[in-house]
Structures are given as C-alpha cells and as structure tokens.
Amino acid sequence: MAYDSDNIFAKILRGEAPAFKVFEDEYSLAFMDVMPQVPGHTLVIPKDPTEDIFNADPVILSHTMATVQTVAAAVKQAFEVPGIMLAQLNGPAAGQTVFHLHFHILPRTDGIDLQMHARGMADFAELEAHAERIRAAIT
Ligand code: 5GP
C-alpha cells in the first residue's frame, strides 16, 4: 500500500490537525493518543512519511527509538507506574488503523487493564494536563 499523505498523523505533522504534543526533535514527534487505552497513552512517530516498520529507513528508525526511550521514561515518571508497555502494529491484520509508523507507550499497573484500542475519545483538558506532566518529566 502506498503512503497516504492525508492520514491523520501526517496532518498533525503538517499542523493541519491538533495534537497534545509532549516532545519533538528533528526526526520525531510525540503526542497524546486521543483515544487512550490507559491514562498517559502516548504515541511517537517519525517525521518521515513511513507507513510501517517494513518501510522505515533504519537510521530514522533508530532516531525514533531514541525518542521512544526518552518519552517512555518520562511517561513512567509522570504517571508513577511500575511498568511501561510498548506496542507497534503493522497492517490491518495486526490492528493498525493509522498508516503512518507509530509506537504506543502505555503505562501499566498491576490490576488495571487496557481500554479497547482506538475507541473512546478522551477529555481534551485532561489530555493537555497529562501532556504537561510528561513534558515536565522530560525537561
Ligand atoms: P494503530 O491502531 O494504528 O496502532 O494506532 C492508532 C492510534 O491512533 C490509536 O490508538 C488511536 O486512538 C490513535 N488516533 C486515531 N486518531 C487520532 C487523532 O486524531 N489524534 C491522536 N492523537 N490519536 C489518534
């Protein structure tokens, strides 16, 4: 499948759609998932127009993973959780719904299950408060 430059993450990268951003550098952007599976659910994407892991330039992928590491540490600290789960889906059969490569950062705590994937929309004021907690843990 060819990369569709009208996907929602491409629009966020171009500033055509809003996002609660937590971190940005030359290669990547991190922002809150608008339908979080758990409070603090954050996404990291490369700025490169890449559909999935198979099409990713390995150098850009390594820069993106460095951002995943930085943001995952900040999410862990900001949400005071004992565990962080990373998820990355490739293709509809794997559950991918947005076709721009992205990594899910999911705070995990014993006894608290994840909500359904890509379902209920979060309260925007709460998302901004969560983004601010993560930004504060990065700087
Ligand atoms: P996938 O299913 O492709 O692995 O994950 C896509 C993720 O993007 C889902 O967790 C979904 O909640 C999230 N998502 C979908 N639309 C938007 C949006 O407009 N803004 C943000 N921030 N996240 C979105």
Side-chain angles (χ1 to χ4, degrees):
M1 188 180 359
Y3 181 81
D4 175 9
S5 58
D6 275 337
N7 76 73
I8 185 63
F9 295 170
K11 289 181 179 174
I12 287 171
L13 283 169
R14 290 196 298 269
E16 295 168 8
F20 298 95
K21 298 180 182 180
V22 301
F23 180 85
E24 182 167 11
D25 67 11
E26 184 183 349
Y27 297 97
S28 57
L29 175 68
F31 53 96
M32 305 312 296
D33 195 300
V34 81
M35 292 172 270
Q37 291 182 258
V38 67
H41 183 170
T42 307
L43 301 170
V44 175
I45 64 173
K47 291 186 173 178
D48 206 46
T50 303
E51 183 185 331
D52 57 26
I53 197 93
F54 307 114
N55 292 291
D57 178 309
V59 174
I60 289 172
L61 189 58
S62 73
H63 284 292
T64 304
M65 288 311 295
T67 297
V68 170
Q69 184 182 44
T70 297
V71 175
V75 170
K76 187 172 189 297
Q77 182 184 324
F79 286 82
E80 299 177 329
V81 288
I84 291 286
M85 180 174 133
L86 300 180
Q88 194 278 308
L89 314 179
N90 298 284
Q96 185 177 8
T97 59
V98 177
F99 296 94
H100 181 114
L101 176 64
H102 54 279
F103 293 85
H104 297 260
I105 297 173
L106 296 149
R108 299 305 307 268
T109 306
D110 285 341
I112 298 181
D113 292 333
L114 296 178
Q115 301 293 313
M116 294 289 282
H117 173 237
R119 293 288 171 84
M121 192 73 83
D123 175 80
F124 281 9
E126 188 175 51
L127 277 189
E128 173 50 26
H130 288 174
E132 180 50 33
R133 275 161 69 177
I134 298 167
R135 287 193 289 265
I138 291 174
T139 52

